[in-house]
Amino acid sequence: MTIEPRERTLLANGLRFRALAWDGATPSALFVHATSFCADGWRPVVAELERTMSAPPRALAIDQRGHGGSDAPLDPADYQWTRLAEDVAALAAL
């Protein structure tokens, strides 16, 4: 049985990020998509983890800035790789 994630809004680095949260057992996982994708791309991965693990995983998949339901800054400089890494670090710390 696949557990449906709940949609969350997380705040980090002055932006709103859309995230999907699966409230399973540990271990925890943070899923970050490649450019041009969104958090929903991780649904089949989490479904497979649920199928193969002894307990459902606790997981969080985020929409990176400018993707899916997350805020999209207008300045192209806000999409430098270092900014994306800062977002992931901030979101992982929540």
Side-chain angles (χ1 to χ4, degrees):
M1 179 176 136
T2 301
I3 298 172
E4 281 301 308
R6 61 189 169 89
E7 195 163 311
R8 296 183 57 193
T9 299
L10 305 173
L11 302 176
N13 298 332
L15 299 173
R16 287 179 308 114
F17 291 86
R18 175 184 171 260
L20 299 176
W22 288 266
D23 296 325
T26 56
S28 298
L30 173 62
F31 292 104
V32 182
H33 62 79
T35 56
S36 300
F37 291 92
C38 67
D40 295 281
W42 292 108
R43 287 176 183 265
V45 173
V46 175
E48 182 64 13
L49 290 173
E50 289 175 352
R51 189 184 73 74
T52 59
M53 294 176 70
S54 60
R58 180 174 171 241
L60 183 71
I62 63 166
D63 284 344
Q64 292 195 62
R65 61 174 60 205
H67 294 77
S70 292
D71 285 347
L74 297 177
D75 185 352
D78 286 332
Y79 293 92
Q80 295 175 18
W81 290 110
T82 53
R83 298 304 304 267
L84 301 175
E86 290 167 356
D87 293 341
V88 171
L91 292 165
L94 296 179

